[in-house]
Amino acid sequence: MHKQFEAMNIGKEPPDDNGKAPRPMKTYAAGALAAAAALALFSLVAGSESIASLSGDAQEKWNDVPCPAGMEVPKVDANSRVLVTGGAGFIGMSLMASLGSRDAKTKPAVVIGIDSFNDYYAPAMKRGRAQRLKTEFGYDVIEADVCNTEVIDKLFEQHRFTHVVHLAAQAGVRYSITHPMTYVHNNYECVVSLLDYVAHKKPQPAYVYASSSSVYGLNKKIPFSELHAIDHPANLYGTSKFGNEQIAAAYHNIHGLKSVGLRFFTVYGPWGRPDMAVSLFTNKIENGETITLFNGGEMWRDFTFVDDIVQGIELSMEYCADNAAVFNLGNSKPVKLGYFLEQIEKRLGVKAKFKYQASNAEIKETYADVSKAHELLGYQPTTSIESGLDQFMAWYKKLDKRTRDEWAGGRFKAGRRR
């Protein structure tokens, strides 16, 4: 199901929220972290210049730099070797399964995942995903921290990866309020550690990573566009993801590392994370528990089905721009929370109990402008919220009640602070 590397002592770090010492980060990456974090902070404070009228080349219109003649990104085909971090996560597993379902000409020769299997949400669910990948596709998910460069080095020595898709991260808006240092470790230290390793490989592999719609924070321009300034942060999670984009830009400037950051918008579907609204609401309604609705329920989310997200990831793995590019990946059809809740009630045949609570950390509306992804990647989401919920519910109801309740747990429900 999954393999485990022993931890290797390179240096000691403070324990994480689970009381476990995180695996070490190489010392040369720590200096780069400080410089890149400073760049991210400066960008948040200074904001961005106003958008000028753009014309000419399609990439330049979106502030991307076309790759020079002769420079290209490896195709995803039978010669590819792909490393997916967060391989036991929701999107990571879905990506690996999609790659494993390709035909002989386009199916990568190697697909390997790496995951820490932490208990932010139920490790049993993550192991269930890893088991699915092993049973259906023969793919392994290595149990290790992405910060452990010795593990990464051994995997690269063995497989010489052509593509790295970095999806491992500490997710969650509300959890970032009570557990901020977890985000510093996972969303800054481990990002710099992996980036620094990848940037020094010759040749450099294609590097794609998960950003988030949360980077837009309190921006008032709707729909959110990649051309909009990012200067109104709403929470630490979104700030850490924007920091990832700035760090990627720093590594392009210093080492010429081309990268693609993907701003995901409220991903849902079978095997979805239990802290996300679809799974969280479904389990609570089923068990007669009260749901907390923030900001009087006056919220809209651009719910995006996981298959559409995976389509965008796979397209981005072949995108060539001589800069640190970013794309929105969403459905571009925001759904009001009340309607979304009604659709779950309808499929369960049970009315929800709910209460209202104020929150300054929650963004009122997310709405993706996916014009750039459509124009430059060929991205085209096709799944309606009704169809997506049908597919989620069909999967959910196949699970026995004990499994549904076990997978609904995790540290994300705790309120303790570090």
Side-chain angles (χ1 to χ4, degrees):
M1 178 170 62
H2 67 277
K3 297 181 179 179
Q4 184 172 10
F5 279 96
E6 294 182 359
M8 303 158 186
N9 284 323
I10 304 176
K12 294 185 178 179
E13 297 281 350
D16 65 14
D17 289 327
N18 196 30
K20 297 179 181 178
R23 290 174 173 85
M25 175 180 65
K26 281 196 174 179
T27 54
Y28 60 73
L33 170 63
L39 174 63
L41 179 61
F42 175 81
S43 296
L44 281 171
V45 173
S48 302
E49 295 181 2
S50 61
I51 301 167
S53 298
L54 300 171
S55 61
D57 182 272
Q59 286 181 290
E60 292 174 345
K61 167 186 171 183
W62 293 101
N63 291 345
D64 281 355
V65 179
C67 285
M71 178 187 291
E72 58 184 22
V73 169
K75 298 297 183 184
V76 181
D77 57 24
N79 297 314
S80 303
R81 298 171 299 280
V82 182
L83 174 65
V84 179
T85 74
F90 171 36
I91 300 175
M93 179 215 69
S94 301
L95 172 63
M96 291 176 68
S98 178
L99 293 173
S101 300
R102 290 183 166 209
D103 60 33
K105 291 183 179 180
T106 59
K107 179 179 177 180
V110 175
V111 178
I112 290 180
I114 181 171
D115 201 290
S116 68
F117 290 87
N118 69 33
D119 64 349
Y120 168 67
Y121 63 87
M125 185 179 205
K126 301 175 184 182
R127 299 193 188 281
R129 295 190 189 116
Q131 183 63 63
R132 180 203 172 197
L133 290 172
K134 186 66 173 178
T135 300
E136 296 185 22
F137 306 101
Y139 291 159
D140 287 317
V141 179
I142 306 300
E143 183 168 2
D145 194 311
V146 174
C147 266
N148 191 335
T149 50
E150 290 196 19
V151 172
I152 299 296
D153 193 47
K154 286 190 176 189
L155 290 172
F156 263 89
E157 284 182 4
Q158 184 176 357
H159 301 291
R160 295 171 293 110
F161 295 113
T162 58
H163 297 77
V164 174
V165 183
H166 181 44
L167 302 176
Q170 178 59 61
V173 169
R174 288 178 293 281
Y175 196 73
S176 70
I177 300 171
T178 56
H179 298 73
M181 297 311 296
T182 302
Y183 293 76
V184 174
H185 173 68
N186 290 295
N187 296 3
Y188 282 107
E189 290 183 8
C190 291
V191 166
V192 173
S193 180
L194 182 63
L195 258 178
D196 208 72
Y197 183 88
V198 169
H200 285 85
K201 297 302 292 182
K202 297 187 184 301
Q204 293 172 339
Y207 182 76
V208 175
Y209 65 96
S211 183
S212 169
S213 61
S214 293
V215 303
Y216 289 107
L218 303 177
N219 279 22
K220 297 187 183 301
K221 288 185 179 180
I222 296 291
F224 296 144
S225 168
E226 297 90 340
L227 295 177
H228 291 170
I230 304 295
D231 52 12
H232 294 92
N235 52 69
L236 181 60
Y237 171 64
T239 300
S240 74
K241 284 300 186 177
F242 182 58
N244 291 176
E245 296 179 9
Q246 295 297 293
I247 291 167
Y251 269 83
H252 176 266
N253 179 57
I254 297 168
H255 301 290
L257 179 66
K258 297 181 293 297
S259 61
V260 181
L262 302 174
R263 296 171 177 173
F264 299 144
F265 281 70
T266 316
V267 189
Y268 74 102
W271 294 93
R273 279 176 24 213
D275 64 321
M276 296 292 283
V278 175
S279 299
L280 186 67
F281 287 6
T282 299
N283 187 258
K284 282 183 174 290
I285 293 171
E286 181 182 41
N287 289 325
E289 298 176 21
T290 301
I291 294 170
T292 300
L293 300 180
F294 295 102
N295 301 326
E298 290 296 314
M299 298 174 68
W300 288 257
R301 288 291 179 266
D302 197 353
F303 291 102
T304 312
F305 194 64
V306 66
D307 290 358
D308 292 327
I309 290 291
V310 168
Q311 172 208 151
I313 297 173
E314 293 186 37
L315 290 168
S316 72
M317 290 169 68
E318 297 184 349
Y319 180 69
C320 191
D322 195 12
N323 62 292
V326 293
F327 288 93
N328 288 338
L329 292 186
N331 199 41
S332 206
K333 295 177 181 177
V335 176
K336 189 171 183 179
L337 200 58
Y339 178 79
F340 167 73
L341 194 56
E342 290 172 3
Q343 293 301 305
I344 295 179
E345 290 175 329
K346 177 181 176 182
R347 285 159 178 77
L348 287 175
V350 180
K351 294 295 289 183
K353 301 175 184 178
F354 57 86
K355 64 180 181 181
Y356 295 121
Q357 182 177 319
S359 174
N360 291 330
E362 293 289 339
I363 301 170
K364 183 176 180 179
E365 179 177 5
T366 63
Y367 181 178
D369 180 345
V370 296
S371 302
K372 179 181 179 182
H374 177 70
E375 185 175 342
L376 301 185
L377 299 180
Y379 173 69
Q380 186 65 53
T382 59
T383 311
S384 68
I385 187 66
E386 295 82 8
S387 174
L389 285 175
D390 285 343
Q391 294 179 65
F392 167 79
M393 206 62 72
W395 166 81
Y396 184 81
K397 290 180 177 179
K398 287 180 182 178
L399 303 173
D400 61 73
K401 184 66 167 59
R402 181 178 178 181
T403 299
R404 295 201 294 263
D405 289 342
E406 179 186 10
W407 287 5
R411 269 193 296 139
F412 72 90
K413 292 186 173 182
R416 62 187 176 86
R417 302 178 67 91
R418 288 193 63 176

